[in-house]
Amino acid sequence: LGCSSGGRNKGDLNIYSTAQDAKLGAHWAAYVQKEMPMLFDERLVNYVDSIGQKLVSAFPEDRLFDYQFKVIKDPQVNAFALPGGHIYVNLGLLQVVETEAELASVIGHETGHVVYRHGTEQLTKAQGLSCCLSLGVYALGLGSADVDIINLFGQTGLLYYGRAAELEADRFGVEALYK
């Protein structure tokens, strides 16, 4: 089992491969789409997706995943990202941004969390290296260890990143916006 950083995040410990990021993200994306009210306004969803795709296309070396940008029908001003390239923007955010650049900077920030793989980096930290090494062997298929990992991901609020991760995501968002 080798530690993986993938993409830009070369220095931080992450025992998950990008394939495992994608698998965890797909699982959580299915949950989000089942439990949260998704917006199906094709024109608005395509607009958000086109901004996101334009941002990630500026960094072909960082295109680790098949990025998907979706809109949640929620009045809160918020956006979030899941491992594996799943990025969500709340309708409330779309209602308050005044320019496309404002929206692009938020989408770029969330994309930065995916590119730097902050979600599985947090999982690695939360599980502890010895625990992760034993679970990592089983995490190749979606078995009981994956379910435990997924539950840990949700229960411990691991989508809440520290200051360093937020700064990395901010830098990526600004760089993407500039490009």
Side-chain angles (χ1 to χ4, degrees):
L1 179 72
C3 292
S4 170
S5 61
R8 293 174 177 245
N9 202 357
K10 303 288 186 206
D12 295 322
L13 180 64
N14 188 338
I15 67 157
Y16 294 88
S17 69
T18 54
Q20 290 167 320
D21 269 34
K23 185 180 282 188
L24 284 170
H27 178 84
W28 272 97
Y31 176 81
V32 165
Q33 289 183 214
K34 187 176 103 184
E35 296 297 322
M36 300 181 117
M38 302 305 295
L39 183 71
F40 294 106
D41 179 330
E42 189 174 331
R43 201 176 106 221
L44 190 53
V45 173
N46 287 342
Y47 174 67
V48 169
D49 185 65
S50 72
I51 292 172
Q53 297 303 335
K54 193 182 302 184
L55 292 170
V56 297
S57 71
F59 301 95
E61 70 279 7
D62 293 321
R63 193 159 183 106
L64 304 172
F65 308 105
D66 177 25
Y67 290 85
Q68 298 174 33
F69 302 87
K70 300 195 175 174
V71 181
I72 296 175
K73 221 184 314 181
D74 187 319
Q76 287 188 340
V77 178
N78 197 19
F80 64 94
L82 298 174
H86 303 273
I87 293 142
Y88 298 89
V89 174
N90 282 2
L91 186 58
L93 176 68
L94 297 174
Q95 293 170 333
V96 300
V97 294
E98 294 182 14
T99 66
E100 184 173 272
E102 288 177 346
L103 178 58
S105 68
V106 173
I107 294 172
H109 171 92
E110 295 303 331
T111 303
H113 284 306
V114 175
V115 167
Y116 284 103
R117 303 182 58 226
H118 290 148
T120 51
E121 181 182 291
Q122 287 290 92
L123 275 174
T124 299
K125 290 175 187 174
Q127 290 174 306
L129 184 56
S130 62
C131 177
C132 284
L133 290 175
S134 62
L135 287 177
V137 172
Y138 299 104
L140 297 173
L142 192 60
S144 63
D146 270 324
V147 172
D148 292 342
I149 291 166
I150 289 165
N151 289 337
L152 176 68
F153 193 63
Q155 292 168 2
T156 59
L158 291 175
L159 292 178
Y160 203 71
Y161 306 115
R163 191 174 298 182
E166 292 297 339
L167 286 172
E168 282 180 330
D170 283 344
R171 276 190 217 107
F172 183 88
V174 169
E175 190 179 343
L177 187 59
Y178 176 77
K179 280 190 167 194

